[in-house]
Each structure stands twice: as structure tokens, then as C-alpha cells.
Amino acid sequence: MEITLPKKIDNSEETINSSRIVVIGANGSGKTRFGTDIENRYNSKTHRISAQKSLTMPNEVSTKSRVRAEAEFMFGYYYPESSNQQLKHLNNLNNKKCNRWGNKPNTFLLDDFEKLMVLLHTEECEEAIKLKKVFNTPNQPDVKPITKLDRIKNIWQNVLPHRQLEVKTGIIETYPVENPESNYNASEMSDGERIVFYLIGEVLSVPKDAIIIIDEPEMHIHNSITKKLWDEIESERPDCTFIYLTHDIDFATSRQDAYRI
């Protein structure tokens, strides 16, 4: 995808065509504002994951309508008052800075873990209803749906093979591989385990052909699994453009074929 980068010191602009961009710089060098600038330019197709974010995973969630869950996940709020879908999308988009970023897009503590979980469980519920309809319809092929939660679970367990995830109604549980009976709510997982789940879920939940900006993609994650995690996430979303903002040289070099700044 062609992306026009923020202006340089000499006020010139550069447009590049790449599915991977890595911005590497010291603390305070302007990486977050670089990402915010791109989000402002391509607001309708960009999903930015802040370095400052809450890792509080809800114990359980309730489902909502699919359109509400998607809007709250992407924009932080849902405007139901208009039946005009285009106008509703514009209202959500125009208020994204306020509702998702608290009018402080560079410094606000992003708190959307619950919105992510609501969206994931809503899709899980919808797919179960569809499967029930197929089951009750004669001569329909018996095809098992693969949901986002299924895909998250597969990646999460590949990256963290010592743990397993179990999906229940509105709840995610986890347990050690060697002791399935000692299951507990996934909200009690370590910071690293929760951030891995969160990052996979965020990327898998964005619309097709999105620009995904990840600020400090290595945060809370052990060096031994960081490359594998992002390799697997990227392989699930070949349609998307990934922009990484990092100060970690090892991570920057792990993104092969990336345009580096």
C-alpha cells in the first residue's frame, strides 16, 4: 500500500509502497507522534495500538449486536441514532479522537481490552447461531466455522505452548498443559500472556486492508518469542499494512523486507 510519511525537517514528504514499515528511534524521538500523524492521514482505514494501554482483561463479557461491537472496538463509541450507514460511519470516525483517544492521541491510556473481548464473543455467538440454522436446514453441508477466537487460540498456544486456552460463554479460561484440571480465568494470566492475547486479537479484528500501527510491539514480551509472535500474526493478515514503532534494534531487524526509518 502507498503511504505518505509525515513531513521531514526540511518540510519535504515521501511516499512509499510497503506492507511493512519499521520506525526505530530513542525514547522521546517522536515515534508515537509519527504514528499519530499517519493515523490522522488515513483515519478511516487505520487501527493504532498505543504503547500506553491497559492490560486489564475482563473476567467475563456480554455480547452485543455485531455492528455495535465493531464500532465500539474501532472508534470507542457507537452512534445508533442514524439509519444512514455512511453517516453513522462518519459520526464514529469524526469522534474517534474523542472517544478512543480521550482527545489526547499521543498520551492517552488506551483501554479497549473489554471492547475487544465483547467483539470476539459476539462473533463467536453469531457463528454458533449460523451453525444451528445450517444444522436445521436439510441437505446443507456440515461446515465447522473458524472464528477469531479459534485463530487467536491457535497462535497463542503456538507461541506459549506451556499453556492452553478454553473458550466458554463470555469467558476465557487457561490452564497448564500438564494439569488441565487447574483451570483459571484468563484475566489472572501474567502481563506477557495477556498482552500476547490482546495483540493477536486486535490485529485479527481490524477490517480488511487496514493499516495497523503498533507502538512498542515488544513490550512485556520475552525476546525468545517476539519474532515468532509477530511472524504468526502477520501471516494471518497478509491484506494489512503493518507499521511498527520501536526502540528495540533486535525487533527492528527481525522484520525482514521492511522499509526502515
Side-chain angles (χ1 to χ4, degrees), residues 36-98:
T36 301
D37 185 288
I38 291 179
E39 182 181 28
N40 291 336
R41 291 168 184 259
Y42 302 96
N43 202 358
S44 63
K45 60 179 65 176
T46 300
H47 190 70
R48 183 165 62 92
I49 304 171
S50 173
Q52 298 192 75
K53 51 187 171 287
S54 170
L55 295 181
T56 301
M57 186 178 190
N59 293 329
E60 61 180 287
V61 295
S62 299
T63 60
K64 300 183 179 181
S65 70
R66 183 70 169 266
V67 64
R68 176 183 287 275
E70 288 178 343
E72 290 180 353
F73 169 74
M74 287 296 297
F75 309 114
Y77 193 76
Y78 172 62
Y79 288 86
E81 63 270 15
S82 172
S83 59
N84 184 316
Q85 292 300 314
Q86 184 176 8
L87 179 60
K88 191 182 297 184
H89 176 75
L90 288 174
N91 282 337
N92 282 317
L93 191 62
N94 292 336
N95 288 278
K96 181 180 180 182
K97 182 178 179 182
C98 171

Side-chain angles (χ1 to χ4, degrees), residues 75 129 236 243:
F75 309 114
I129 293 172
E236 284 286 321
I243 300 178

